[in-house]
Amino acid sequence: MTPSTPRSVDRPTCDHYDVVIVGSGMGGGTLAHGLKDSGLTVLLVERGGFLPQETENWDPQAVFVDGRYKNAEQWYDASNGTPFHPGTYYYVGGNTKFYGASLVRFRREDFQHTDLAEGPSPAWPVDYDDFAPHYAAAERLYRVHGDLDDPTLARTEPYPFPALEHEDAIARAARGLRDIGLTPSHLSLGVDLRQGGACIKCATCDGFPCRVLAKGDADVCGVRPAVASGAVELLTGAYVARVTTNSAGDRVTGIEYRAGEQTHTVSANSVVVSCGAVNSAALLLRSATDRHPAGLANSSDQVGRNYMVHNNSIMVAINPLRRNKATFQKTLYVNDYYRKGTEDHPYPLGHVQLIGKLQGAMIKGQRPHLPMWALNAATRRSIDWWLFSEDLPDPANRVTLRADGAIQVAWTPNNLATHRVLVREMRRLLRKLGYPIVISESPGIEVNSHQAGTVRAGMDPTSSVLDPDCRAHDVENLFVVDSAFFPSLPVMNPALTIAANALRVAPVIAQTARRSASAGARPAR
């Protein structure tokens, strides 16, 4: 059953809420769901609106060439001042409206210190066992289908729903990988393939919005049930300019937002920032006061620093004599190099998974000089992979604000030698599988779908911004609940960990909102 579009408001119905959440993506949307039964009044604020359900949702030309749904402002590359259009979307549900629904758990060792080729990947202030029950809850919420066929998994309990079966071309690739000694596994996916579910296993899932709302995104699975409960109010079309504080600067008091040409304020017992790693850092920096001159909650000078995205490469393997007739290609991944390297590079290399089936129009923007017939001919004969290796938190990789308030990103990739080895190994393996043409390309600064780390959590207030519960060290009733809190970025898709974390800290946020009432805010319900 397709969920109906919930009612949103263009002005809050109250001037005070127990909790205000800024951002409705995987962090904020899941948190709203986690608070809907708390008895608190919750305002969920989104700068965009609902993404329309329309024919163009599944049109590669409209989505990838015409950029029909791109609505983010320009950001700037700090190295040269060049503007770029980030892979960020402002809609209810945030970037999950376009993600590939890969909902995988981080592994137990991902929360621990790990030595990589270019330095240590730091331990988290929480461990896998802290997350395990919330991973399970998030998997139920987002309708995750999976299989226990990967030996790196830390879990033993079954997935909520069985894994998606490989289509013939993918099953053939899986057999080939097993024959050369690898362990191909079924990818954990959040799609609605329940009995009577809406998913039709189309070719337009990864990178497209879902026209039938069958993708497990934060809008459909998080926001809509939260708003339908009556406990959560959704404000759309509202750009939050700053988080406001009391005169002492030790408590947040609410938010200031713009709707059209008008500026408004809303007060709250607690404020949660869930705008995505870049925008969350930017909002804290914009919220500077005389008590917080370097940005709100930034006494450590870590807000905006340690920006991470995975070292990514897309790898297209082509056999000119073999058509790939798979429609829903993204069902397989390989973790054989997740925690091991090679004889000449004895460090963990990373993770490899299939992506949604490429079509010619999807890569026309990157190859504008090639005719569409050639792109279509190649993609009909390709199997398409995404390779990613861990990058390391570096204080010099950071988000700042320009004098005009625009977002600026300084990013120099690291751990690249490791990624080059992963690319080399996968190229060799795919040729063994019968694909003589293997093309790979790494994206630039504009591809930031796995952004993380800019408001890192830790035990030490001098080197981190948040405590293990995602509460600001400097401000008791301020939380940041998205991938900004990650101390490291393990080489798996981060979405499920963001969702699990939101469910993990929801009770702490509810308790803080109630406690804030006794500290001078209005009473919590």
Side-chain angles (χ1 to χ4, degrees):
M1 180 177 177
T2 301
S4 59
T5 302
R7 184 177 68 89
S8 64
V9 297
D10 55 14
R11 286 291 301 271
T13 60
C14 304
D15 61 2
H16 182 86
Y17 294 82
D18 297 323
V19 180
V20 169
I21 304 169
V22 184
S24 66
M26 189 56 98
T30 307
L31 179 61
H33 191 282
L35 292 174
K36 70 181 178 63
D37 299 320
S38 66
L40 301 175
T41 57
V42 179
L43 178 67
L44 179 61
V45 184
E46 170 56 50
R47 68 191 293 179
F50 285 96
L51 191 146
Q53 289 175 257
E54 56 186 7
T55 303
E56 290 85 354
N57 292 167
W58 287 347
D59 183 345
Q61 174 74 29
V63 175
F64 287 91
V65 180
D66 300 339
R68 181 177 180 84
Y69 302 108
K70 288 185 175 295
N71 62 356
E73 74 280 27
Q74 285 187 336
W75 296 352
Y76 291 84
D77 184 341
S79 67
N80 53 24
T82 302
F84 66 92
H85 290 284
T88 295
Y89 297 90
Y90 303 137
Y91 296 101
V92 177
N95 287 345
T96 66
K97 297 304 293 185
F98 293 85
Y99 82 148
S102 178
L103 292 171
V104 293
R105 298 188 184 192
F106 288 170
R107 291 355 188 197
R108 182 176 297 278
E109 56 268 40
D110 288 331
F111 295 88
Q112 303 166 2
H113 174 104
T114 303
D115 288 320
L116 300 180
E118 293 188 17
S121 177
W124 291 35
V126 289
D127 61 24
Y128 178 85
D129 292 330
D130 294 317
F131 270 77
H134 309 292
Y135 272 139
E139 287 166 343
R140 293 190 296 270
L141 178 60
Y142 285 95
R143 306 163 187 164
V144 175
H145 296 64
D147 197 312
L148 300 176
D149 54 0
D150 177 3
T152 70
L153 284 169
R155 67 186 297 153
T156 56
E157 76 275 20
Y159 284 85
F161 299 97
L164 276 68
E165 292 299 321
H166 301 317
E167 296 182 40
D168 288 345
I170 309 310
R172 183 170 59 246
R175 289 192 298 270
L177 289 167
R178 281 192 293 271
D179 288 345
I180 58 179
L182 275 71
T183 310
S185 307
H186 286 81
L187 188 59
S188 305
L189 295 166
V191 291
D192 190 6
L193 275 171
R194 303 169 296 171
Q195 185 70 30
C199 181
I200 60 174
K201 293 181 68 176
C202 67
T204 50
C205 184
D206 198 350
F208 295 82
C210 184
R211 185 180 176 190
V212 296
L213 302 183
K215 187 187 298 187
D217 65 37
D219 166 25
V220 172
C221 296
V223 175
R224 297 187 188 216
V227 175
S229 74
V232 176
E233 185 169 277
L234 174 64
L235 172 65
T236 55
Y239 170 79
V240 176
R242 61 189 299 111
V243 177
T244 58
T245 63
N246 62 4
S247 58
D250 58 355
R251 304 187 63 78
V252 296
T253 56
I255 60 168
E256 179 183 294
Y257 73 91
R258 294 200 299 267
E261 299 299 318
Q262 301 296 315
T263 298
H264 310 274
T265 60
V266 175
S267 65
N269 292 345
S270 291
V271 173
V272 183
V273 175
S274 300
C275 310
V278 171
N279 273 299
S280 287
L283 176 54
L284 296 182
L285 293 172
R286 288 199 303 271
S287 302
T289 67
D290 56 352
R291 297 284 185 172
H292 298 271
L296 185 58
N298 196 23
S299 64
S300 63
D301 190 34
Q302 294 299 303
V303 171
R305 295 189 183 274
N306 305 296
Y307 172 73
M308 294 173 284
V309 290
H310 285 129
N311 292 316
N312 295 311
S313 288
I314 186 170
M315 182 168 281
V316 181
I318 302 169
N319 184 330
L321 304 179
R322 182 191 299 164
R323 288 284 297 268
N324 178 358
K325 297 182 180 180
T327 301
F328 196 100
Q329 175 178 263
K330 188 175 180 171
T331 56
L332 179 150
Y333 72 97
V334 176
N335 253 5
D336 292 80
Y337 293 109
Y338 195 73
R339 284 303 179 204
K340 72 175 187 178
T342 59
E343 288 187 3
D344 65 339
H345 191 86
Y347 296 96
L349 297 184
H351 173 75
V352 179
Q353 65 180 235
L354 287 172
I355 58 174
K357 186 69 201 80
L358 287 180
Q359 303 172 55
M362 297 169 69
I363 55 177
K364 181 65 174 175
Q366 286 73 42
R367 294 288 185 272
H369 59 285
L370 293 178
M372 190 61 75
W373 68 263
L375 294 173
N376 285 332
T379 54
R380 287 169 187 153
R381 292 162 177 81
S382 70
I383 186 168
D384 317 303
W385 304 83
W386 197 258
L387 285 59
F388 37 105
S389 305
E390 187 167 347
D391 58 343
L392 298 168
D394 180 347
N397 285 341
R398 64 185 302 197
V399 176
T400 56
L401 299 178
R402 296 182 0 142
D404 60 1
I407 290 173
Q408 184 169 259
V409 179
W411 176 60
T412 301
N414 57 50
N415 206 33
L416 289 177
T418 290
H419 190 66
R420 286 192 289 268
V421 174
L422 180 62
V423 170
R424 181 195 73 190
E425 291 300 301
M426 279 306 299
R427 188 187 305 276
R428 178 179 61 83
L429 291 171
L430 291 174
R431 285 174 174 158
K432 280 189 177 182
L433 288 184
Y435 294 90
I437 303 171
V438 181
I439 302 166
S440 66
E441 181 171 306
S442 296
I445 194 172
E446 70 283 353
V447 175
N448 56 4
S449 52
H450 293 180
Q451 57 184 270
T454 57
V455 192
R456 68 193 305 187
M459 302 300 294
D460 183 356
T462 67
S463 60
S464 61
V465 183
L466 308 174
D467 72 9
D469 291 325
C470 296
R471 185 202 317 268
H473 290 301
D474 298 347
V475 186
E476 183 190 3
N477 58 339
L478 171 66
F479 295 81
V480 179
V481 180
D482 56 26
S483 60
F485 95 95
F486 285 19
S488 68
L489 184 57
V491 284
M492 299 288 271
N493 304 67
L496 187 69
T497 299
I498 298 169
N501 181 64
L503 298 178
R504 180 182 72 89
V505 301
V508 178
I509 292 169
Q511 181 184 47
T512 300
R514 295 188 178 97
R515 190 168 60 241
S516 293
S518 64
R522 301 187 187 187
R525 279 66 172 174

